[in-house]
Amino acid sequence: MITSTIVAGDVVVFGPPGVGKGTQCSFLRADFGLRHVSTGDLIRHEIKSGSPLGLLVGDVVRRGELVSDSLLFSMVGQAFVDQAPLLFDGFPRSVGQARWLLQRADELSRPLLGVVALVAPDAEIVARLSARRTCGICGAVASSAAAGGPCPKCGGELVRRADDDPTIVSERLRVYHSDTAPVLEVLAQRLPIQRVNGLGEVADVRARVAEAVGQLLNSL
Ligand code: AMP
């Protein structure tokens, strides 16, 4: 049973691509009143809009590489205008971003509650991302079992994200292990980390994640 609690601090949801961060963040937003900041969604929005920024980063994202830290600082800096507690999904993804987050939180006196780190083996990630289909209109995520049919949320067409192509997925995993995995050690020097098994039914993972946030609240 998931109960509604208001969280008094920002939370980082950490993990490899395809581990389920976006899905679990949508539950956390509803369950804990956090504002979801997905840097992947923000970047895709820029690319889709054809803005100068989007044109600049489109190729980087399609290659499965990381967008520059300076761009991320400007995006997340804008999110900090909001006083409401934030739920970071896909940020920080480099050691530089992790150090920046800790420093900005101090400067702005924003409490950082801690990190929920979703864990799954690489083989599972590759299988999930190869099967993932995304709505071209609303961005809802579905498995390939739903391909051919319309988006269950808005009726839009379900497509494979360009960066979910198997060759790009291997590059994203390589980048995760080289650049992003070390972020956890940096955050662990200052913040409590709750590791959560990302395998199994979505509802089971949701219950584990909610429990992990409860543990972060208890550690205040
Ligand atoms: P995601 O939807 O979180 O998997 O992000 C999709 C892509 O956006 C990533 O593969 C990166 O190219 C880019 N991206 C998202 N968040 C970040 C970040 N914090 N730092 C650098 N690049 C990012």
Side-chain angles (χ1 to χ4, degrees), residues 39-40 43-44 61 65-67 72 90 93 97 161 172:
T39 49
I43 291 168
R44 273 185 295 278
V61 173
E65 296 167 7
L66 293 185
V67 168
L72 269 296
R93 233 160 163 134
Q97 292 176 17
R161 251 170 63 177
R172 288 166 71 197

Side-chain angles (χ1 to χ4, degrees), residues 108-163:
L108 298 168
S109 304
R110 284 189 79 98
L112 268 169
L113 200 62
V115 181
V116 175
L118 285 165
V119 182
D122 283 5
E124 173 73 14
I125 299 294
V126 171
R128 278 191 199 179
L129 289 181
S130 312
R132 182 163 80 170
R133 297 295 180 270
T134 307
C135 175
I137 309 272
C138 73
V141 170
S143 80
S144 60
C151 166
K153 279 199 181 156
C154 77
E157 190 189 357
L158 293 176
V159 292
R160 174 187 262 168
R161 251 170 63 177
D163 60 347

Side-chain angles (χ1 to χ4, degrees), residues 16-18 21 38-41 43-44 47 57 60-69 72 75-76 89-94 97 129 132 161 163-164 168 172 175 180:
K21 297 188 295 296
S38 158
T39 49
D41 284 349
I43 291 168
R44 273 185 295 278
I47 296 172
V57 298
V60 176
V61 173
R62 280 186 287 273
R63 285 199 298 268
E65 296 167 7
L66 293 185
V67 168
S68 73
D69 282 355
L72 269 296
M75 269 182 183
V76 176
D89 165 6
F91 181 89
R93 233 160 163 134
S94 69
Q97 292 176 17
L129 289 181
R132 182 163 80 170
R161 251 170 63 177
D163 60 347
D164 283 347
I168 307 296
R172 288 166 71 197
V175 169
T180 306

